[in-house]
Amino acid sequence: MTSQQSTAVLIIGAGPAGLVLGNLLLAAGVDCTVVERQSRAHVEQRARAGFLAAHTVRVLTEHGLADGLHMYGQQHDICAFRTDSGEFQLAYGALGRGEVHTVYPQQDLVRDLVAEFLARGGDLRFDTAALRIDGLDGDSASVTVRTPDGSERLLHARYVAGCDGQHGISRSAVPAGAVRHYRRDHGVSWLALLAAAPQSMAAVAYAVHQDGFAGHMARSPEVTRYYLQCDAGTDPGSWTHDRIWAELHHRMRADRHGPLREGGILERRVVDMRSDVLDPIQYGRLFLVGDAAGLISPSAAKGANLAVMESEILARGLADRLGGGDGQLLARYSADCLPRIWRAQEFSHWMINLLHGPSGDDDEAVFLRALQRARLESLRDSRRHQDHFAENYVGI
Ligand code: APR
């Protein structure tokens, strides 16, 4: 193994977390290197989230990273809830703080962030997997990486940013007992679908149905995201095209509210609603960001937005410390992020309980479904509840 070079900040992972952090560090004049185990084509084509909160758009705009999303993104400010007793809509852009979402497919944002990082002269290495992190307690950290030609190299860094997702090596580099790991399995799974079809309605629609939740979310003029609640362990391939559309029409109550615009299913996968939070999200010279710091269920589309929030706070702390500051800002990274992470977790958890009720006719199931109905009615009828919802739905 040849010992290679050193950098101020080594970023592991080129998802939204790593790429936003890298761009913000470059803008602040901080030397950094990003290593990503997948190819450039792979990360630029990976379809994931798409709802960007107002704060996220502000951060990206301030740092010159938002040209694409301002040009091609769609502003979104209405969501609808369909239940047995009808549909109600919340025009959340006129509620709460008056903030709206920008819908911009995550792979397009990733493509923009990669292009910008490279245009600014950034060092971004695809097909380069981080294998091991050492020296987190010492004067400098080192990361062993496998390069595209299969050899191993050692990269030294003053700080390491673990932006490598929930299954990356950063989490496991933290010694047992140094952080607490809180987790919750919500016991709900969604079949997540991308359909080659324009959106069927202007609103994001959440259908609460005794046969399971169904959701409709715009992505781009040609592609729409749909969700169908399914049993855990479902094989996505077992859902045929016809069964998917029949079930979507049934649960979205198309007979009452109008048909959906059908199209080929481009992608299908099962997502289990799970959440976890690490506390603290820092150990020695390692800072965890995005899914590496905590996983949030997709029920309120908070994942990418939390990653941007954390990247912004970390970039400020690192720039301050590496620019000769006393390090207090950097030392507060975890304490500054965690209250916001828990707020987002609380709202996502509340959304899960809003959208899913237990099946069955035993007393407890009936009781919980009555609570769910009361929750939905409160949201339908109370302006104060709607303001609170809007503030949390778009905000962090
Ligand atoms: N070495 C290098 N790269 C790695 C390694 C490794 N050992 N392990 C994982 N990676 C890369 C993955 O290939 C991936 O590109 O880290 C990246 C992590 O990216 P994401 O999974 O997108 O995670 P993050 O950036 O935290 O995402 C933020 O956006 O869509 C949402 O679900 C996503 O909530 C998450 C948010």
Side-chain angles (χ1 to χ4, degrees):
M1 182 165 65
T2 45
S3 189
Q4 253 250 335
Q5 59 170 106
S6 75
T7 179
V9 182
L10 185 77
I11 299 172
I12 306 176
L19 290 167
V20 171
L21 178 64
N23 273 294
L24 267 48
L25 288 176
L26 279 191
V30 173
D31 172 42
C32 61
T33 294
V34 182
V35 294
E36 164 58 55
R37 71 169 170 197
Q38 301 285 359
S39 67
R40 180 172 181 175
H42 180 97
V43 301
E44 290 186 346
Q45 282 161 23
R46 196 168 42 193
R48 305 275 273 284
F51 269 68
L52 301 178
H55 176 76
T56 303
V57 174
R58 251 190 321 267
V59 172
L60 296 173
T61 305
E62 261 171 43
H63 292 90
L65 301 168
D67 290 354
L69 73 89
H70 286 305
M71 201 167 332
Y72 303 110
Q74 301 173 52
Q75 300 254 303
H76 223 288
D77 60 1
I78 301 181
C79 63
F81 293 87
R82 292 181 177 180
T83 69
D84 276 342
S85 46
E87 179 183 283
F88 65 93
Q89 295 202 347
L90 297 183
Y92 56 86
L95 295 163
R97 294 206 193 93
E99 293 178 327
V100 303
H101 284 112
T102 301
V103 181
Y104 190 54
Q106 186 169 309
Q107 65 274 27
D108 295 352
L109 178 64
V110 163
R111 195 196 52 225
D112 297 348
L113 293 169
V114 167
E116 198 56 43
F117 188 78
L118 295 173
R120 293 175 182 186
D123 178 9
L124 169 49
R125 306 178 190 187
F126 289 103
D127 302 299
T128 301
L131 304 176
R132 212 180 54 243
I133 309 176
D134 294 298
L136 291 176
D137 295 315
D139 293 337
S140 119
S142 63
V143 178
T144 308
V145 300
R146 189 185 304 110
T147 62
D149 68 10
S151 61
E152 289 187 11
R153 294 260 164 83
L154 200 58
L155 303 180
H156 298 280
R158 292 216 25 215
Y159 298 102
V160 177
C163 306
D164 50 350
Q166 61 160 325
H167 300 300
I169 63 158
S170 301
R171 275 187 172 201
S172 40
V174 179
V179 291
R180 277 203 74 167
H181 189 175
Y182 304 94
R183 53 194 120 196
R184 172 146 178 98
D185 181 345
H186 301 280
V188 171
S189 300
W190 285 358
L191 181 63
L193 305 156
L194 278 178
Q199 63 198 74
S200 295
M201 57 209 99
V204 168
Y206 300 103
V208 175
H209 196 286
Q210 62 180 11
D211 293 340
F213 163 75
H216 159 280
M217 268 136 238
R219 267 299 173 273
S220 70
E222 304 86 28
V223 174
T224 303
R225 207 196 255 279
Y226 285 96
Y227 293 110
L228 279 170
Q229 187 182 350
C230 63
D231 292 333
T234 294
D235 167 14
S238 66
W239 281 74
T240 62
H241 174 98
D242 290 349
R243 181 177 171 207
I244 286 170
W245 286 108
E247 203 59 30
L248 282 170
H249 274 93
H250 170 61
R251 296 190 199 175
M252 304 283 306
R253 300 176 178 85
D255 52 342
R256 284 159 72 178
H257 304 293
L260 306 173
R261 297 160 90 169
E262 297 189 17
I265 301 298
L266 303 171
E267 191 193 287
R268 61 184 81 190
R269 67 195 168 94
V270 171
V271 183
D272 299 318
M273 301 287 127
R274 288 209 186 101
S275 308
D276 71 2
V277 176
L278 271 61
D279 183 359
I281 52 175
Q282 183 241 338
Y283 174 77
R285 296 183 173 274
L286 174 67
F287 294 83
L288 302 173
V289 192
D291 278 11
L295 193 64
I296 189 157
S297 72
S299 53
K302 296 286 185 204
N305 295 298
L306 278 178
V308 173
M309 180 275 294
E310 292 153 11
S311 300
E312 190 199 20
I313 292 178
L314 181 57
R316 230 184 280 137
L318 286 168
D320 172 71
R321 179 72 188 106
L322 291 161
D326 61 10
Q328 285 197 25
L329 207 53
L330 186 58
R332 283 211 316 264
Y333 169 66
S334 208
D336 283 348
C337 290
L338 279 164
R340 295 170 167 95
I341 293 173
W342 281 114
R343 278 286 295 269
Q345 288 283 2
E346 192 282 323
F347 185 70
S348 291
H349 192 227
W350 179 86
M351 279 289 276
I352 289 174
N353 286 328
L354 186 76
L355 301 177
H356 309 88
S359 52
D361 286 319
D362 59 277
D363 286 352
E364 190 182 67
V366 174
F367 181 88
L368 290 172
R369 284 203 301 275
L371 291 186
Q372 183 189 17
R373 197 163 47 246
R375 219 172 272 134
L376 281 156
E377 287 171 1
S378 167
L379 189 59
R380 182 192 62 198
D381 300 337
S382 158
R383 169 65 199 242
R384 291 211 174 130
H385 197 166
Q386 292 168 3
D387 283 329
H388 179 76
F389 170 84
E391 200 175 309
N392 285 279
Y393 190 53
V394 199
I396 294 268

